[in-house]
Amino acid sequence: MTHTTIVIGDDHPLVQAALRDALGKAMPEVAVVECPDLDSVMAAVGARPDDIDLVLLDLNMPGTHGFAGLFLMLAQHPTVPVAILSALQDADTIRRALAYGASGYIPKSLSMGAMADAIRAILAGAVWAPPLSALDTPEADEAEAARRFASLSPQQLRILTMIVDGKLNKQIAGELSVSEQTVKVHVSSILRKLNVVSRTQAAVVAGRLAVEADTLR
């Protein structure tokens, strides 16, 4: 029997368990890898990228800021499909996720059976999202933002999230175990790719990676 391997990135054990059980019933051949944070997701996929059929990624879990985790996954493993699994279900967030390259968007408010159906559709090659009327063609500014973020390397994406957190080059260098000069080179490249002239402007632009907390349900 051919196995399907799905990595679930979510820091809520009950969500992990419920989804694992639902997938086990709907897809007996599925193998689920449960990860509570972005680092463990990256490690799980990095260990055997050719064996991972789908990554389900929460927008709000340790190690990621909104869409930053999605961009990091797509930059590091561009051939692995990534779908968003989130409590957020407003049309704007869903549209942005799809514009930024997600293979699907699965609200946690769906029944377990509906989630399993959505996952099966994505595994079959479809781009699945709730039938919301606001999901039309991505606006030009979103497409341009997606292009600029996609041009950043995985390391630059990590550094950008640290800049948003207000960390100095010295602090970033320490956390990433690189020299401060290396961080400066990356920051210069980030500013150029985002078409801004300062760290503050970069942080403002990076606000597109965030999602609004008040849309949580």
Side-chain angles (χ1 to χ4, degrees):
M1 180 182 293
T2 301
H3 284 280
T4 298
T5 302
I6 298 176
V7 174
I8 303 176
D10 195 294
D11 61 334
H12 294 88
L14 292 179
V15 173
Q16 291 272 17
L19 193 50
R20 181 187 65 239
D21 291 345
L23 288 173
K25 293 175 181 177
M27 305 167 58
E29 77 284 4
V30 74
V32 174
V33 180
E34 300 174 29
C35 301
D37 53 45
L38 184 62
D39 286 344
S40 57
V41 170
M42 299 298 294
V45 178
R48 46 177 183 149
D50 294 336
D51 297 329
I52 305 301
D53 297 288
L54 177 64
V55 174
L56 298 176
L57 196 66
D58 190 7
L59 288 176
N60 294 284
M61 66 176 182
T64 185
H65 294 270
F67 293 108
L70 172 63
F71 276 103
L72 188 57
M73 275 297 311
L74 295 177
Q76 193 77 52
H77 303 289
T79 63
V80 178
V82 181
I84 300 301
L85 175 68
S86 180
L88 298 167
Q89 55 187 47
D90 62 289
D92 181 64
T93 299
I94 296 172
R95 178 178 58 78
R96 290 169 64 197
L98 300 182
Y100 291 168
S103 295
Y105 195 104
I106 304 174
K108 291 181 180 180
S109 60
L110 293 180
S111 68
M112 287 296 110
M115 283 190 187
D117 288 342
I119 290 168
R120 272 195 294 244
I122 296 170
L123 288 170
V127 175
W128 192 95
L132 301 178
S133 60
L135 294 181
D136 50 12
T137 303
E139 297 177 3
D141 60 341
E142 293 295 351
E144 175 62 15
R147 186 190 68 77
R148 291 190 181 279
F149 287 128
S151 72
L152 300 177
S153 70
Q155 188 79 317
Q156 289 167 353
L157 282 165
R158 293 189 185 94
I159 291 173
L160 179 59
T161 61
M162 292 179 180
I163 289 174
V164 173
D165 285 340
K167 294 179 179 177
L168 303 176
N169 287 351
K170 184 176 181 179
Q171 294 172 300
I172 296 173
E175 291 192 25
L176 297 179
S177 298
V178 298
S179 70
E180 190 170 350
Q181 181 58 38
T182 296
V183 174
K184 289 180 180 178
V185 171
H186 277 306
V187 170
S188 295
S189 182
I190 290 169
L191 298 182
R192 176 176 53 80
K193 290 180 178 180
L194 296 184
N195 194 30
V196 296
V197 297
S198 70
R199 292 165 63 99
T200 299
Q201 289 181 348
V204 171
V205 172
R208 286 182 176 271
L209 293 174
V211 291
E212 295 298 330
D214 60 9
T215 60
L216 281 169
R217 302 199 173 187

